[in-house]
mmCIF file of all heavy atoms in Angstrom:
data_model
loop_
_atom_site.group_PDB
_atom_site.id
_atom_site.type_symbol
_atom_site.label_atom_id
_atom_site.label_comp_id
_atom_site.label_asym_id
_atom_site.label_seq_id
_atom_site.Cartn_x
_atom_site.Cartn_y
_atom_site.Cartn_z
ATOM 1 N N SER A 57 -7.017 0.201 15.269
ATOM 2 C CA SER A 57 -8.371 0.322 15.820
ATOM 3 C C SER A 57 -9.351 -0.627 15.135
ATOM 4 O O SER A 57 -10.516 -0.695 15.521
ATOM 5 C CB SER A 57 -8.874 1.759 15.666
ATOM 6 O OG SER A 57 -8.056 2.645 16.379
ATOM 7 N N GLY A 58 -8.896 -1.302 14.102
ATOM 8 C CA GLY A 58 -9.737 -2.262 13.401
ATOM 9 C C GLY A 58 -10.518 -1.687 12.236
ATOM 10 O O GLY A 58 -11.312 -2.391 11.616
ATOM 11 N N ASP A 59 -10.295 -0.414 11.910
ATOM 12 C CA ASP A 59 -11.016 0.202 10.805
ATOM 13 C C ASP A 59 -10.148 0.158 9.549
ATOM 14 O O ASP A 59 -9.503 1.128 9.167
ATOM 15 C CB ASP A 59 -11.410 1.636 11.148
ATOM 16 C CG ASP A 59 -12.440 2.210 10.181
ATOM 17 O OD1 ASP A 59 -12.579 1.665 9.062
ATOM 18 O OD2 ASP A 59 -13.099 3.190 10.549
ATOM 19 N N ARG A 60 -10.123 -1.009 8.906
ATOM 20 C CA ARG A 60 -9.280 -1.218 7.733
ATOM 21 C C ARG A 60 -9.656 -0.303 6.553
ATOM 22 O O ARG A 60 -8.759 0.237 5.902
ATOM 23 C CB ARG A 60 -9.312 -2.685 7.297
ATOM 24 C CG ARG A 60 -8.947 -3.695 8.388
ATOM 25 C CD ARG A 60 -7.479 -3.941 8.480
ATOM 26 N NE ARG A 60 -7.022 -4.969 9.396
ATOM 27 C CZ ARG A 60 -7.179 -5.029 10.698
ATOM 28 N NH1 ARG A 60 -7.928 -4.166 11.324
ATOM 29 N NH2 ARG A 60 -6.617 -5.973 11.418
ATOM 30 N N PRO A 61 -10.958 -0.082 6.266
ATOM 31 C CA PRO A 61 -11.273 0.833 5.156
ATOM 32 C C PRO A 61 -10.712 2.245 5.362
ATOM 33 O O PRO A 61 -10.186 2.851 4.432
ATOM 34 C CB PRO A 61 -12.802 0.834 5.106
ATOM 35 C CG PRO A 61 -13.177 -0.507 5.662
ATOM 36 C CD PRO A 61 -12.168 -0.765 6.751
ATOM 37 N N LYS A 62 -10.803 2.763 6.586
ATOM 38 C CA LYS A 62 -10.244 4.095 6.850
ATOM 39 C C LYS A 62 -8.717 4.066 6.752
ATOM 40 O O LYS A 62 -8.109 5.021 6.272
ATOM 41 C CB LYS A 62 -10.670 4.606 8.224
ATOM 42 C CG LYS A 62 -12.050 5.195 8.238
ATOM 43 C CD LYS A 62 -12.332 5.888 9.550
ATOM 44 C CE LYS A 62 -13.745 6.458 9.551
ATOM 45 N NZ LYS A 62 -14.074 7.058 10.838
ATOM 46 N N ALA A 63 -8.111 2.971 7.202
ATOM 47 C CA ALA A 63 -6.654 2.850 7.097
ATOM 48 C C ALA A 63 -6.230 2.864 5.628
ATOM 49 O O ALA A 63 -5.269 3.554 5.259
ATOM 50 C CB ALA A 63 -6.174 1.576 7.781
ATOM 51 N N ILE A 64 -6.948 2.123 4.793
ATOM 52 C CA ILE A 64 -6.642 2.124 3.363
ATOM 53 C C ILE A 64 -6.757 3.543 2.811
ATOM 54 O O ILE A 64 -5.889 4.002 2.068
ATOM 55 C CB ILE A 64 -7.561 1.148 2.610
ATOM 56 C CG1 ILE A 64 -7.183 -0.296 2.960
ATOM 57 C CG2 ILE A 64 -7.478 1.376 1.098
ATOM 58 C CD1 ILE A 64 -8.150 -1.340 2.439
ATOM 59 N N THR A 65 -7.811 4.245 3.210
ATOM 60 C CA THR A 65 -8.002 5.626 2.754
ATOM 61 C C THR A 65 -6.814 6.493 3.142
ATOM 62 O O THR A 65 -6.291 7.251 2.321
ATOM 63 C CB THR A 65 -9.298 6.212 3.347
ATOM 64 O OG1 THR A 65 -10.394 5.389 2.948
ATOM 65 C CG2 THR A 65 -9.523 7.637 2.881
ATOM 66 N N ASP A 66 -6.356 6.372 4.374
ATOM 67 C CA ASP A 66 -5.234 7.184 4.840
ATOM 68 C C ASP A 66 -3.962 6.894 4.037
ATOM 69 O O ASP A 66 -3.249 7.813 3.634
ATOM 70 C CB ASP A 66 -4.978 6.944 6.327
ATOM 71 C CG ASP A 66 -6.110 7.439 7.204
ATOM 72 O OD1 ASP A 66 -6.726 8.463 6.868
ATOM 73 O OD2 ASP A 66 -6.388 6.778 8.226
ATOM 74 N N PHE A 67 -3.695 5.614 3.794
ATOM 75 C CA PHE A 67 -2.489 5.271 3.040
ATOM 76 C C PHE A 67 -2.609 5.684 1.578
ATOM 77 O O PHE A 67 -1.635 6.131 0.967
ATOM 78 C CB PHE A 67 -2.163 3.779 3.175
ATOM 79 C CG PHE A 67 -1.869 3.384 4.593
ATOM 80 C CD1 PHE A 67 -2.491 2.286 5.157
ATOM 81 C CD2 PHE A 67 -0.994 4.118 5.380
ATOM 82 C CE1 PHE A 67 -2.235 1.923 6.474
ATOM 83 C CE2 PHE A 67 -0.730 3.772 6.694
ATOM 84 C CZ PHE A 67 -1.354 2.665 7.245
ATOM 85 N N VAL A 68 -3.806 5.570 1.003
ATOM 86 C CA VAL A 68 -4.030 6.027 -0.363
ATOM 87 C C VAL A 68 -3.808 7.539 -0.451
ATOM 88 O O VAL A 68 -3.168 8.029 -1.387
ATOM 89 C CB VAL A 68 -5.439 5.621 -0.856
ATOM 90 C CG1 VAL A 68 -5.831 6.396 -2.101
ATOM 91 C CG2 VAL A 68 -5.493 4.117 -1.121
ATOM 92 N N LEU A 69 -4.306 8.284 0.524
ATOM 93 C CA LEU A 69 -4.091 9.733 0.524
ATOM 94 C C LEU A 69 -2.599 10.056 0.604
ATOM 95 O O LEU A 69 -2.114 10.956 -0.090
ATOM 96 C CB LEU A 69 -4.848 10.393 1.673
ATOM 97 C CG LEU A 69 -6.371 10.359 1.543
ATOM 98 C CD1 LEU A 69 -7.022 10.946 2.786
ATOM 99 C CD2 LEU A 69 -6.826 11.099 0.299
ATOM 100 N N ALA A 70 -1.880 9.330 1.431
ATOM 101 C CA ALA A 70 -0.431 9.534 1.518
ATOM 102 C C ALA A 70 0.217 9.287 0.155
ATOM 103 O O ALA A 70 1.107 10.031 -0.267
ATOM 104 C CB ALA A 70 0.167 8.614 2.572
ATOM 105 N N LEU A 71 -0.250 8.252 -0.531
ATOM 106 C CA LEU A 71 0.332 7.919 -1.836
ATOM 107 C C LEU A 71 -0.065 8.901 -2.923
ATOM 108 O O LEU A 71 0.685 9.093 -3.884
ATOM 109 C CB LEU A 71 -0.049 6.493 -2.222
ATOM 110 C CG LEU A 71 0.626 5.441 -1.344
ATOM 111 C CD1 LEU A 71 -0.033 4.087 -1.530
ATOM 112 C CD2 LEU A 71 2.121 5.390 -1.632
ATOM 113 N N LEU A 72 -1.219 9.531 -2.773
ATOM 114 C CA LEU A 72 -1.590 10.576 -3.725
ATOM 115 C C LEU A 72 -0.685 11.788 -3.564
ATOM 116 O O LEU A 72 -0.362 12.463 -4.535
ATOM 117 C CB LEU A 72 -3.056 10.974 -3.545
ATOM 118 C CG LEU A 72 -4.069 9.913 -3.947
ATOM 119 C CD1 LEU A 72 -5.478 10.366 -3.581
ATOM 120 C CD2 LEU A 72 -3.972 9.580 -5.423
#
Side-chain angles (χ1 to χ4, degrees):
S57 298
D59 194 341
R60 305 273 185 299
K62 279 189 181 176
I64 289 171
T65 302
D66 293 325
F67 298 131
V68 164
L69 292 176
L71 291 166
L72 291 174

